[in-house]
Every structure is written in structure tokens, then in C-alpha cells.
Amino acid sequence: MRAWYAGASTIQTNIAPQDTGRFLPQVKPGWAYNASLGVAAPILLDGAKRDRAVWPGDMGLSGITAFLVFGEYGLTAFGNAIETLFYYQNTTTGRFPFAGPDTASFRSGSTSDTYHAWSLISIYEYAIYTGNETWLSERWENITRGVDFVLAALDNTVSLHNQTAPNDWGRQGGGEYNSALNALDYHALVSLSSLASAWSDTISGRTRAQTWALAAARLKSSYNSHLWDAPANLYHDNTTTSLHPQDGNALALAFNLTTSTAQASVLSTALIQNWNAIGPVTPELPDTISPFISGIEVLGHFAAGQPVRALDLVRRTWGYLLDSPLMTGSTLAEGITANGSLYYRSTAGYNYDASYTSLSHGWSSGPTIALSFKVAGLEIIGWREWVFKPQTGGLRSAKAGFRAPFGEFRVQWVVRGKEDGDMIFEATIVTPEGTRGRLGMPGECENVLVDGKAVAATVEGGGIRVVKATGCR
Ligand SMILES: *[C@@H]1O[C@H](CO)[C@@H](O)[C@H](O)[C@H]1NC(C)=O
Ligand SMILES: *[C@@H]1O[C@H](CO)[C@@H](O)[C@H](O)[C@H]1NC(C)=O
Ligand SMILES: *[C@@H]1O[C@H](CO)[C@@H](O)[C@H](O)[C@H]1NC(C)=O
Ligand SMILES: *[C@@H]1O[C@H](CO)[C@@H](O)[C@H](O)[C@H]1NC(C)=O
Ligand SMILES: *[C@@H]1O[C@H](CO)[C@@H](O)[C@H](O)[C@H]1NC(C)=O
Ligand SMILES: *[C@@H]1O[C@H](CO)[C@@H](O)[C@H](O)[C@H]1NC(C)=O
Ligand SMILES: *[C@@H]1O[C@H](CO)[C@@H](O)[C@H](O)[C@H]1NC(C)=O
Ligand SMILES: *[C@@H]1O[C@H](CO)[C@@H](O)[C@H](O)[C@H]1NC(C)=O
């Protein structure tokens, strides 16, 4: 699909050499790209033209895309951006910076609770894609300090994070027990807890894993009792507002803040209310379609087991982003207005300047991730751990692959017969030695064989596996 390659082209233009950041105050007219971007390069940035800087929220998606499309080279750029965050991590509080050193946000000392959580999520992603134990042990103290910052914020009677630094991706409002922030914290804690228990064999590592998992469980329970609006089938932005944000709800769905498949299903359906002909108009930033938050929504619909809806959204928004004569045809814009214009954030910081909007922004590459990890369906989900759980969404075949430093992953599948009846699903997957994974079929199948034998709960990695499922619906 074109959307996959557009994500790849976008990331390619978002990886830059060392001293090519935007010089501030911005030269007018024009641009000067001579500022230092971080501690090393090549380095992964938010956008090709602007800001040309390290931004942790963006990296939560663009780091995954960089790995999927460029393998070890993408990981190098992702890693150098993460090292920049470590370098500027606050030694007293453990807080990561809001953005890289060549931004106004960095210079003013602005902080962001959501981008701190995105930093931890990016670190987790980088750790499981590289599988680099040396790096992880060298960085472990930095990582635990970062998690401690979140634990301290959750240490209250409600076990939710009161958002006091609401700087974010450009949205308005925020504050108090914000649903996006708490979904991000939850994902950071659950992920890093699984990493701590899988990777560390020390007592302190295991204790940490338990502490983090417990904080995550309390958060999830409170999240649902304080933020779920049952009549609306959506989460509130916080406990004092009637706003149902796209970001908090998409993140809650993608990161499993829901407590049942039924709840995930109604939440996925409720999100459609925001959609116009070209995509979801965000309640938390009026007159805006955000391909960043909508990319997370795409992943959310897959998490809810709604691949047809997810692909509808991809075609709707990314079809527009690729076909509109306002765009490049090959890279993905940072954001658009509800009518598709480039007057993104006109009244919210960009001063009615359509030329200020980035036309190549890696945070808009969610569909590349979704097509590889959710549709083709082979995904790294933990330390040396993967899952194969394809979701066809009406497609009849798919093929994908990516290369981690610890080995190659490849997948190819075809569907025969009717989708709703006696469907036959055949797949070949290649995974590295020393890994393990689980298999899930697209839908309910009567009979599943792996290499001709009944499927086991866990499958050892290494070599080629042939999966054949029959009687699927
Ligand atoms: C970067 O460019 C600006 C604008 O031309 C200039 O003022 C500045 O001195 C340059 N900085 C470096 C390090 O070359
Ligand atoms: C670290 O955080 C503390 C507490 O918020 C703050 O006072 C200090 O200025 C920060 N340090 C840096 C280098 O920003
Ligand atoms: C994290 O690592 C860097 C080295 O890159 C170090 O300078 C910094 O002080 C560390 N931060 C904390 C909170 O330990
Ligand atoms: C693993 O990380 C270490 C420490 O950062 C680094 O020196 C080494 O090159 C990395 N290994 C690979 C295979 O990238
Ligand atoms: C959240 O923090 C703000 C700023 O410190 C404070 O005024 C407010 O009372 C806090 N809210 C809750 C619910 O703790
Ligand atoms: C709750 O969220 C709304 C919408 O984002 C925001 O306007 C409001 O200030 C927040 N409430 C508090 C107490 O921060
Ligand atoms: C999501 O959370 C529920 C518990 O609320 C759990 O049973 C389920 O396994 C989780 N799903 C994933 C994919 O982790
Ligand atoms: C699209 O929306 C922008 C911003 O709201 C507005 O300035 C512009 O006139 C609209 N364009 C059309 C063709 O309606």
C-alpha cells in the first residue's frame, strides 16, 4: 500500500546529520539549518523542515517506523535521539526533556508529563528491537530514574497522575487526571515491568518489575472508575470536564486500558462520531485532523479487533494525505484542518501560516506500523518475544519483513474461501533463534496446524514455520 511507503519516505527525510537543526530565532525570510541536533548522528527528528528536532512524543511512533523500514540504520538514528534524552535527563527528578536542544521549548525549560511517558515508551521500543543487553544494563539506572518520576506522580489516594506539565502534541486543555497522560504512563509501566522481569535476573530487578506492575494495575482500575463515561462509551479528558478527547480514547484503546473486549468494542465504535469524509476531527484541538493521534486511533481499532474500521480510517485520512494536490504525494503532513487545508494550528501557535506546517512528519506514519505489525501481523512485543496475530481486514494476502540486530523476521499469508464461512488461512513465518512467540489466527478456526502438528501455546523461534488453519470465520 502507498500509505506504508509514504511512512518510509517520511522517515527517510526525518533522519539527519549532526549540525543541521533549525537555527532560532528563525531566519526570516527563509530558514537556517545549522543548529546542533543532539549528542550523535544520524539522528531521528520530528520533521524534515520543522522543527528538525528530537521530540519524544513523535518518536513513540516514528522510532518504530524507523526500525521497520530501515532496520539497524533506523535503530541507530532512533538510538541517538534517545541518547540525547538521557543526556539532558534531570538528575534530581529523573524527568526527560520535553524536546531536543535546538527547540524554543528546550531553551525555555518547558516540561511535559506526556512526553516524559513517551520517552519511556520509546526507550522500551528501542530496547526490544535492538535486544542489546549491554546498552540496557548501561542505561538501566537512567531508565529506573525515569520510571521513579512516574511512580512519584502516581503516589496519591487516586493512583492517577495529576498532569501539572500539560505541554503536549499541540492540543488544547489538559490538566488534572488527564486520560492521555495516564494511558501513556500505564503503557510505560506495563512495558518496562515486562522488560524488567524478562531481562533482569536480579532480586532488585524482579522487585522493581512487581512494583511497576502493581502501580499499573492500580492506575488501570482508577482510570476506569474515574474517567469512563458509560453513557457515551468514551473516556473523559479528566474528572472535571465533559470533553471526550480523541488522544486519550485512542491511547486507552491501543494500550489496553479497557477491561473487557466488550468495552473495547463500544469505545472503537464511539470514536467514529469524530469522523468526517477525510478523518477524525479532534475534540481537543478544534478544526483539526491529526495524523499523529489518528495513527494511534488506527492502532486502537486493531487492538479492538476492528481491522475493517482501522483500514477504513487509513484509506480515508492517508488516502487524502497522499492524493490531495496540496501535498507531496509521497510524504505525510504533520496535520491538517477539518477541511483538509494546511492551515493547521492557525489559531494555536502557527499564526495562519500554511507554509509553516511540515509536509514530512514521522509521527504521521502510524499506518506503516499497523500494516506491518497488525495486518501482516508479526510483531516484536517484548524481550526476545513476538506474536503472530494477523488481522486481514478484508485483504486476501500480505507479506512483510524486518531485520532486528538479533535476527530476521518475515511473514507471508494468504486467505482462501469465504471470509465468513469456511475460510482457509495459510502463512509462513520466519523468526530468529533464541526468541519465542505466540500464534493467533484471524478469527475463530476449527483446526490450526503448525508444521503439520497441533499448535502449542508458545512457539520457539528459529527457522521457517508453516501455519495452516481451516474452518475459520
Ligand atoms: C547559523 O546561521 C545563522 C543565520 O545565518 C547565523 O547567525 C549563525 O551564526 C550560524 N551558526 C553557526 C554555528 O554557524
Ligand atoms: C531539575 O528539576 C528541578 C526540580 O524541578 C529543577 O529545580 C532544576 O532546575 C532542574 N534541572 C535542570 C538542569 O533543568
Ligand atoms: C543519564 O545518563 C546520562 C549520560 O548520558 C547522565 O549524564 C545523566 O546524569 C543520567 N541521568 C540520571 C538521572 O541519572
Ligand atoms: C550495544 O550497545 C553498546 C552500548 O551502547 C554498544 O557499544 C554496542 O555497539 C551495541 N551493540 C550492537 C550490536 O549494536
Ligand atoms: C493537581 O496539581 C495542581 C497544581 O499543583 C493542584 O492545584 C491541584 O489541586 C492538583 N489536583 C489534584 C486533583 O490533586
Ligand atoms: C480538565 O480538562 C479540560 C479539557 O482539557 C481542561 O480545560 C480543564 O482545565 C481540566 N481541568 C483541570 C482541573 O485541570
Ligand atoms: C488487556 O487487559 C485485560 C485485563 O483488563 C487482560 O485480560 C488482557 O490480557 C490484556 N490484553 C493484552 C493484549 O495485554
Ligand atoms: C478550510 O479551513 C481553513 C481554516 O479553518 C479556512 O481558512 C479555509 O478558508 C477553508 N477552506 C475552504 C476551501 O473552505
Side-chain angles (χ1 to χ4, degrees):
M1 267 219 230
R2 284 166 70 212
W4 193 96
Y5 283 99
S9 307
T10 300
I11 295 298
Q12 188 166 29
T13 70
N14 288 187
I15 294 177
Q18 182 62 269
D19 294 318
T20 65
R22 181 167 55 131
F23 177 81
L24 292 176
Q26 191 180 314
V27 175
K28 286 196 177 160
W31 309 74
Y33 290 143
N34 61 2
S36 175
L37 286 165
V39 297
I43 186 165
L44 182 62
L45 310 178
D46 64 329
K49 174 174 76 171
R50 205 215 84 246
D51 290 324
R52 269 190 97 76
V54 170
W55 280 100
D58 307 57
M59 239 196 276
L61 296 189
S62 66
I64 305 177
T65 312
F67 162 61
L68 282 174
V69 303
F70 297 123
E72 291 196 47
Y73 178 75
L75 285 176
T76 300
F78 189 14
N80 287 331
I82 287 173
E83 288 299 319
T84 302
L85 300 179
F86 281 136
Y87 184 81
Y88 292 110
Q89 186 180 14
N90 186 309
T91 48
T92 313
T93 60
R95 194 199 264 282
F96 293 107
F98 180 29
D102 62 322
T103 59
S105 298
F106 179 88
R107 292 177 193 185
S108 67
S110 300
T111 53
S112 162
D113 293 334
T114 51
Y115 276 38
H116 178 80
W118 275 120
S119 298
L120 291 172
I121 290 167
S122 298
I123 288 163
Y124 169 73
E125 290 163 357
Y126 180 75
I128 63 171
Y129 301 151
T130 58
N132 186 336
E133 258 182 280
T134 312
W135 181 83
L136 197 50
S137 48
E138 279 174 13
R139 288 293 170 227
W140 193 243
E141 268 321 296
N142 278 78
I143 296 168
T144 57
R145 298 292 307 282
V147 178
D148 285 345
F149 176 86
V150 174
L151 294 179
L154 294 173
D155 186 15
N156 56 45
T157 51
V158 186
S159 299
L160 290 172
H161 190 158
N162 178 13
Q163 186 177 32
T164 52
N167 289 308
D168 209 337
W169 56 271
R171 58 157 291 174
Q172 297 177 351
E176 211 236 10
Y177 301 129
N178 176 261
S179 51
L181 168 62
N182 282 280
L184 290 163
D185 280 352
Y186 176 78
H187 187 58
L189 289 172
V190 167
S191 305
L192 289 168
S193 161
S194 81
L195 184 63
S197 60
W199 164 74
S200 166
D201 52 9
T202 64
I203 298 204
S204 86
R206 282 201 298 271
T207 309
R208 278 201 165 113
Q210 280 166 6
T211 307
W212 299 353
L214 202 63
R218 278 199 219 102
L219 184 161
K220 179 166 172 175
S221 160
S222 254
Y223 194 92
N224 281 284
S225 53
H226 287 86
L227 296 170
W228 181 246
D229 180 5
N233 288 328
L234 288 163
Y235 291 101
H236 279 136
D237 206 37
N238 58 34
T239 68
T240 64
T241 181
S242 58
L243 184 86
H244 301 118
Q246 187 196 3
D247 62 0
N249 281 286
L251 287 163
L253 206 48
F255 294 157
N256 196 29
L257 273 293
T258 49
T259 55
S260 67
T261 51
Q263 188 191 9
S265 171
V266 294
L267 172 51
S268 165
T269 306
L271 279 169
I272 301 175
Q273 291 162 41
N274 294 329
W275 294 12
N276 72 13
I278 58 170
V281 181
T282 60
E284 66 273 32
L285 184 58
D287 192 30
T288 300
I289 292 173
S290 166
F292 172 39
I293 303 306
S294 300
I296 297 166
E297 184 178 326
V298 167
L299 294 167
H301 294 306
F302 279 110
Q306 298 291 343
V308 172
R309 180 173 298 149
L311 291 179
D312 178 353
L313 178 50
V314 171
R315 292 187 182 100
R316 201 177 277 256
T317 300
W318 281 264
Y320 178 81
L321 289 171
L322 285 166
D323 289 340
S324 164
L326 298 173
M327 308 291 168
T328 67
S330 59
T331 58
L332 300 167
E334 164 188 24
I336 52 179
T337 57
N339 67 9
S341 85
L342 284 167
Y343 286 92
Y344 174 68
R345 290 181 63 180
S346 275
T347 55
Y350 288 13
N351 199 27
Y352 302 92
D353 183 1
S355 73
Y356 191 74
T357 298
S358 165
L359 286 172
S360 190
H361 231 62
W363 76 2
S364 302
S365 66
T368 304
I369 301 167
L371 291 168
S372 290
F373 277 169
K374 309 299 178 184
V375 175
L378 185 58
E379 174 171 8
I380 299 178
I381 56 158
W383 186 252
R384 304 266 195 273
E385 192 188 344
W386 44 266
V387 66
F388 176 54
K389 175 92 182 80
Q391 295 193 58
T392 63
L395 301 176
R396 305 294 287 179
S397 65
K399 193 173 175 180
F402 48 90
R403 198 186 292 272
F406 55 91
E408 193 186 4
F409 291 79
R410 269 187 287 141
V411 55
Q412 189 164 0
W413 57 249
V414 292
V415 166
R416 300 185 213 286
K418 292 198 205 76
E419 283 271 332
D420 56 349
D422 207 21
M423 182 175 105
I424 298 171
F425 175 79
E426 287 178 292
T428 307
I429 59 170
V430 176
T431 55
E433 297 281 352
T435 64
R436 60 215 308 259
R438 281 177 294 110
L439 304 181
M441 295 305 112
E444 300 285 316
C445 303
E446 280 161 23
N447 188 25
V448 182
L449 295 177
V450 180
D451 298 336
K453 299 191 204 83
V455 63
T458 314
V459 176
E460 295 298 319
I464 303 173
R465 304 271 176 193
V466 178
V467 181
K468 182 160 182 176
T470 51
C472 305
R473 58 178 67 242

